[in-house]
Amino acid sequence: MNAADDKTIVREYFNSTGFDRWKRIYGDGEVNKVQLDIRTGHQQTVDTVIGWLKDDNNLSQLSICDAGCGVGSLSIPLVEEGAKVYASDISAKMVSEAQDRAVAAFKNSVNPTFAVKDLESLSGDYHTVICLDVLIHYPQDKADEMISHLCSLAETRMILSFAPKTFFLSILKKIGSFFPGPSKATRAYLHREADVVKILEKNGFQIQRKAMTRTRFYFSSLLEATR
């Protein structure tokens, strides 16, 4: 399966059965134990990012690109903190849900701005580019291209999360329990931290902060890099 096929599968999945599943996970309704665990892990990652940005005491002055925004789990809180946010996702259904949640939160506000785009189609200049829990859909060679493109949009800072390629997680993935459940329909790619760091450094960024979120079914390494 090539990268183009991966992208098509991801788009179709998150516009169909995947949308229903992840809408529930990223919401506040009743879910099963596995989905609740993933919800908890994802929220911890989001909270860490927001905490990092708030620590700098300049969120109201920032333009932020939320690349792969899903249903707005990060975009909406960032706007609440005063940031100017441009958010995009490959899934039209995800973007529509994010827009509905933003309208409920901010009424007629035009912030955040949403668009249906894959990561490679993004353009513009932003103080900070953030891409959470998206690299899992990219094999290593395509991850290099995608991260490098996002780096070209970031004036000052990149924040990325990814499923780390460790012996333990590789075994879990091999036996099919990394993302359990009958609605699993996309391939999961793990990445070595050293490989991600190398890509960022190649594009002129240096690592400033790291974090790791680990629950029973959710594993995510988080990197902040600046230049």
Side-chain angles (χ1 to χ4, degrees), residues 130-199:
I130 304 173
C131 185
L132 300 184
D133 295 349
V134 177
L135 273 171
I136 198 165
H137 302 301
Y138 283 76
Q140 185 59 41
D141 60 333
K142 293 301 177 182
D144 190 329
E145 294 177 13
M146 184 272 282
I147 294 171
S148 294
H149 176 64
L150 293 183
C151 285
S152 74
L153 310 179
E155 297 171 351
T156 302
R157 175 167 49 198
M158 286 284 301
I159 298 178
L160 296 171
S161 75
F162 56 95
K165 189 170 186 178
T166 64
F167 176 76
F168 173 67
L169 292 184
S170 295
I171 293 297
L172 282 182
K173 180 175 180 287
K174 185 170 291 188
I175 65 175
S177 60
F178 186 73
F179 277 119
S183 56
K184 173 186 173 185
T186 62
R187 297 184 68 176
Y189 295 100
L190 311 181
H191 297 280
R192 296 183 184 89
E193 179 178 308
D195 292 334
V196 178
V197 170
K198 183 177 180 180
I199 298 167

Side-chain angles (χ1 to χ4, degrees), residues 24-73:
R24 289 195 304 272
I25 290 174
Y26 293 152
D28 55 10
E30 184 176 347
V31 290
N32 63 40
K33 291 182 179 179
V34 171
Q35 292 170 334
L36 179 60
D37 182 88
I38 295 171
R39 175 192 291 174
T40 299
H42 177 76
Q43 188 60 51
Q44 288 176 8
T45 296
V46 169
D47 290 344
T48 298
V49 171
I50 293 173
W52 283 354
L53 297 177
K54 289 175 69 175
D55 285 347
D56 294 340
N57 295 314
N58 64 346
L59 254 177
S60 63
Q61 304 169 35
L62 302 189
S63 61
I64 297 177
C65 176
D66 183 7
C69 67
V71 298
S73 303

Side-chain angles (χ1 to χ4, degrees), residues 89-163:
D89 199 275
I90 195 172
S91 164
K93 277 198 168 185
M94 286 288 190
V95 169
S96 180
E97 176 67 18
Q99 289 174 319
D100 288 346
R101 294 187 184 192
V103 168
F106 309 119
K107 306 307 177 186
N108 295 321
S109 173
V110 295
N111 184 24
T113 299
F114 291 102
V116 180
K117 289 187 176 183
D118 60 45
L119 300 186
E120 294 81 359
S121 299
L122 293 177
S123 60
D125 297 297
Y126 310 92
H127 177 278
T128 298
V129 174
I130 304 173
C131 185
L132 300 184
D133 295 349
V134 177
L135 273 171
I136 198 165
H137 302 301
Y138 283 76
Q140 185 59 41
D141 60 333
K142 293 301 177 182
D144 190 329
E145 294 177 13
M146 184 272 282
I147 294 171
S148 294
H149 176 64
L150 293 183
C151 285
S152 74
L153 310 179
E155 297 171 351
T156 302
R157 175 167 49 198
M158 286 284 301
I159 298 178
L160 296 171
S161 75
F162 56 95

